[in-house]
């Protein structure tokens, strides 16, 4: 499971990360010793923030192999913490799918309360539609582990988050520095009967890549050999010989006659597999169609979608320009109407009447395509909810938020 830890500067993000590593024994002993010695020599307590700074330094020197993720493990599963080196990179990676978090921990300093970056980061979480959110009220030691302070801040934060449409699944009072309510229940906050951070994380379900998801089989090509084969890669769900299928957007229905994997015939295929199928009836299939299963949740067929896009071309988008829209194997020309533009490093709304979008800006847009698309909300099934826009090269990535 991929998680991201966000919050205002100095509210304890690196300390919490260090703690998670330490308390799950995911930190090599040698590394911890090294940091301990460093802290001793400086006459300081071992600050878990140093652990992360240490990683950072290694990364800057190009020592660590994996530059974007670090891992820790519970008995249930492995977690990767996605790096958020800056807002811009973070938003870009999330939108383009380079790294997509399954869950987020939003930290608020119990003493300081909600600050500017708390708001901005919460906005990003809302924009990306992250469903699994833990609100952690940190530095409880600084407010004497006071339950009333926790309750008051919790109420204030939940009210604010609600305005953005975020409803944290868990709210946990912690002291990251001392490890209270991170891996172990805190004895200093016996008034709190909820879960620790690790217990809460372990409760979240990931939905990715599971064969249980509805079938989404974007058609890549049609081959006419002695039989007619519809080829593609199963993006989600699974397919069996005999399944009743629907071709979208035409809505033609038929049954799967055979499934052909490379050079062999098989009865069943799951998510991630590249296959070809033959059908019982002759259907009109084309590249860009999406095959789904009868009786499962259906995607939306439309030529108008609401989305968030991240513009990543030095040449700005200008009102009236037509772009190529690409989602799974679908490719179609589109028009774009700009609703709102946001600076991705400050998250300020850019006053903009010209309908243009500059490099590294995020925009709320309505896209209208020449032909109907088979799409869905990014949060349901990312493969049909994420797209790119192209001129000669890719100029933007986007996620679909509504229709
Ligand atoms: P970041 O900027 O969000 O990554 O915050 P850091 O993890 O660097 O923490 C900022 C400061 O807060 C450091 O001096 C930490 O030692 C301190 N800090 C973090 N967690 C706690 C806590 O639970 N209690 C106290 N008293 N200080 C904390």
């Amino acid at each position: 499971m991929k998680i991201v830890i966000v919050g205002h500067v100095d509210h304890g993000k690196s300390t919490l990360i260090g703690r998670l590593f330490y308390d799950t024994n995911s930190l090599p002993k040698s590394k911890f010793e090294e940091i301990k010695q460093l802290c001793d020599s400086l006459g300081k307590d071992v600050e878990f923030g140093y652990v992360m700074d240490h990683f950072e330094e290694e990364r800057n020197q190009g020592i660590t192999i994996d530059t974007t993720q670090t891992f820790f493990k519970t008995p249930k599963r492995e977690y990767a913490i996605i790096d958020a080196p800056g807002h811009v990179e973070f938003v870009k990676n999330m939108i383009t799918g380079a790294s997509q978090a399954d869950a987020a921990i939003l930290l608020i300093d119990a003493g300081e309360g909600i600050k500017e970056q708390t708001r901005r980061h919460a906005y990003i979480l809302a924009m990306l539609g992250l469903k699994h959110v833990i609100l952690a009220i940190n530095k409880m030691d600084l407010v004497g582990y006071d339950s009333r302070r926790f309750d008051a801040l919790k109420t204030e934060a939940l009210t604010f988050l609600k305005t953005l449409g975020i409803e944290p699944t868990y709210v946990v009072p912690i002291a990251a520095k001392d490890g209270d309510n991170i891996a172990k229940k805190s004895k200093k906050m016996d008034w709190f009967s909820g879960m620790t951070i690790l217990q809460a994380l372990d409760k979240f379900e990931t939905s990715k890549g599971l064969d249980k998801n509805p079938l989404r089989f974007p058609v890549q090509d049609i081959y006419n050999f002695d039989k007619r084969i519809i080829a593609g890669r199963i993006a989600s769900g699974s397919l069996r010989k005999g399944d009743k299928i629907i071709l979208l957007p035409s809505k033609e229905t038929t049954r799967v006659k055979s499934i052909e994997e490379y050079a062999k015939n098989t009865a069943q295929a799951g998510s991630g597999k590249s296959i070809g199928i033959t059908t019982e009836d002759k259907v009109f299939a084309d590249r860009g169609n999406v095959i789904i299963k009868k009786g499962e949740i259906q995607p939306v067929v439309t030529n108008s979608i609401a989305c968030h896009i991240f513009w990543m071309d030095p040449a700005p988008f200008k009102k009236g320009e037509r772009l190529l829209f690409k989602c799974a194997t679908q490719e179609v020309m589109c028009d774009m109407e700009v609703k709102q533009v946001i600076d991705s490093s400050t998250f300020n709304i850019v006053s903009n009447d010209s309908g243009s979008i500059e490099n590294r800006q995020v925009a709320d847009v309505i896209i209208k395509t020449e032909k109907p698309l088979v799409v869905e909300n990014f949060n349901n099934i990312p493969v049909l909810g994420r797209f790119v826009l192209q001129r000669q090269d890719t100029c933007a990535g986007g996620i679909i938020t509504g229709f």
Side-chain angles (χ1 to χ4, degrees):
M1 175 175 256
K2 292 181 178 174
I3 62 170
V4 62
I5 297 177
V6 296
H8 194 72
V9 62
D10 280 349
H11 281 196
K13 296 178 292 295
S14 359
T15 307
L16 174 61
I17 294 171
R19 247 311 153 188
L20 289 168
F21 280 108
Y22 184 65
D23 288 355
T24 55
N25 291 318
S26 307
L27 200 63
K29 252 217 146 45
S30 59
K31 189 155 280 181
F32 181 68
E33 282 305 320
E34 203 179 307
I35 293 160
K36 189 168 176 302
Q37 275 172 17
L38 181 71
C39 293
D40 285 349
S41 71
L42 296 170
K44 293 195 176 192
D45 285 350
V46 178
E47 286 229 3
F48 288 94
Y50 281 137
V51 178
M52 291 321 288
D53 293 346
H54 193 78
F55 280 142
E56 183 103 328
E57 205 173 291
E58 283 198 347
R59 268 200 293 265
N60 292 342
Q61 292 168 7
I63 297 167
T64 316
I65 301 156
D66 193 318
T67 53
T68 55
Q69 294 178 7
T70 37
F71 298 90
F72 68 91
K73 227 177 173 169
T74 65
K76 181 168 177 185
R77 64 182 156 214
E78 196 167 81
Y79 290 89
I81 299 181
I82 297 181
D83 235 359
H87 298 151
V88 179
E89 292 308 312
F90 175 54
V91 175
K92 180 179 164 186
N93 288 346
M94 292 281 279
I95 287 188
T96 57
S99 62
Q100 189 196 328
D102 304 301
I105 302 175
L106 174 63
L107 276 183
I108 304 181
D109 181 318
E112 287 201 0
I114 298 171
K115 298 292 253 190
E116 192 195 1
Q117 278 170 336
T118 320
R119 291 177 195 280
R120 283 186 191 151
H121 289 178
Y123 179 86
I124 306 179
L125 300 184
M127 183 176 99
L128 299 167
L130 265 152
K131 281 187 203 140
H132 301 319
V133 178
I134 297 173
L135 172 63
I137 309 292
N138 190 28
K139 306 196 191 179
M140 285 302 293
D141 55 309
L142 296 183
V143 296
Y145 308 101
D146 181 7
S147 67
R148 280 164 307 174
R149 173 63 189 155
F150 172 72
D151 287 337
L153 192 49
K154 174 179 164 180
T155 306
E156 188 191 344
L158 290 182
T159 308
F160 155 66
L161 291 172
K162 202 160 183 198
T163 62
L164 296 173
I166 301 178
E167 297 199 25
T169 320
Y170 305 99
V171 188
V172 189
I174 62 171
K177 197 171 164 175
D178 308 323
D180 286 284
N181 287 337
I182 311 292
K184 282 190 299 265
K185 277 231 185 302
S186 169
K187 294 205 174 64
K188 297 167 204 144
M189 291 179 269
D190 51 9
W191 46 265
F192 178 70
S193 57
M195 282 187 236
T196 63
I197 295 286
L198 283 182
Q199 284 171 331
L201 281 174
D202 274 351
K203 282 275 170 203
F204 289 138
E205 295 287 341
T206 44
S207 60
K208 275 203 217 93
L210 296 182
D211 288 352
K212 276 185 289 183
N213 282 339
L215 173 74
R216 299 296 182 254
F217 180 45
V219 175
Q220 233 147 34
D221 257 313
I222 315 292
Y223 298 105
N224 287 302
F225 300 127
D226 48 334
K227 47 195 172 189
R228 190 157 170 276
I229 295 178
I230 303 174
R233 184 166 168 272
I234 299 186
S236 101
S238 63
L239 198 57
R240 281 175 183 282
K241 190 174 162 176
D243 275 346
K244 267 195 177 168
I245 53 170
I246 309 174
L247 248 108
L248 293 177
S250 72
K251 298 207 176 91
E252 275 188 88
T253 60
T254 181
R255 275 182 195 276
V256 178
K257 190 170 165 194
S258 70
I259 298 180
E260 329 259 332
E261 262 185 72
Y262 182 68
K264 66 177 185 205
N265 193 302
T266 152
Q268 196 259 346
S271 172
K273 274 259 150 51
S274 288
I275 55 161
I277 60 168
T278 63
T279 53
E280 285 190 352
D281 312 284
K282 192 165 168 44
V283 285
F284 182 77
D286 207 354
R287 179 181 165 87
N289 289 168
V290 179
I291 294 175
I292 62 164
K293 248 195 283 195
K294 212 163 180 166
E296 289 187 337
I297 299 170
Q298 304 213 354
V300 177
V301 178
T302 178
N303 59 2
S304 172
I305 50 176
C307 2
H308 290 307
I309 64 162
F310 183 91
W311 193 261
M312 43 189 166
D313 191 342
F317 169 79
K318 294 264 183 269
K319 192 176 176 176
E321 182 180 355
R322 307 202 79 207
L323 298 164
L324 181 65
F325 175 98
K326 292 171 87 167
C327 169
T329 57
Q330 309 177 85
E331 291 187 18
V332 56
M333 292 306 290
C334 73
D335 287 307
M336 199 155 78
E337 184 192 333
V338 181
K339 292 284 182 198
Q340 190 175 9
V341 178
I342 297 146
D343 180 315
S344 66
S345 59
T346 61
F347 279 90
N348 292 330
I349 294 172
V350 179
S351 77
N352 184 318
D353 300 325
S354 65
S356 67
I357 312 169
E358 309 274 335
N359 198 12
R360 299 185 147 208
Q361 285 180 335
V362 171
D364 286 352
V365 298
I366 304 284
I367 284 180
K368 294 212 158 75
T369 52
E370 255 175 11
K371 285 189 288 185
L373 296 167
V374 183
V375 284
E376 48 211 322
N377 191 303
F378 165 74
N379 285 303
N380 299 340
I381 301 193
V383 67
L384 291 182
R386 168 180 286 134
F387 59 88
V388 296
L389 297 172
Q390 274 191 349
R391 289 166 159 159
Q392 277 82 9
D393 276 321
T394 299
C395 51
I399 53 180
I400 299 170
T401 53
F403 307 101

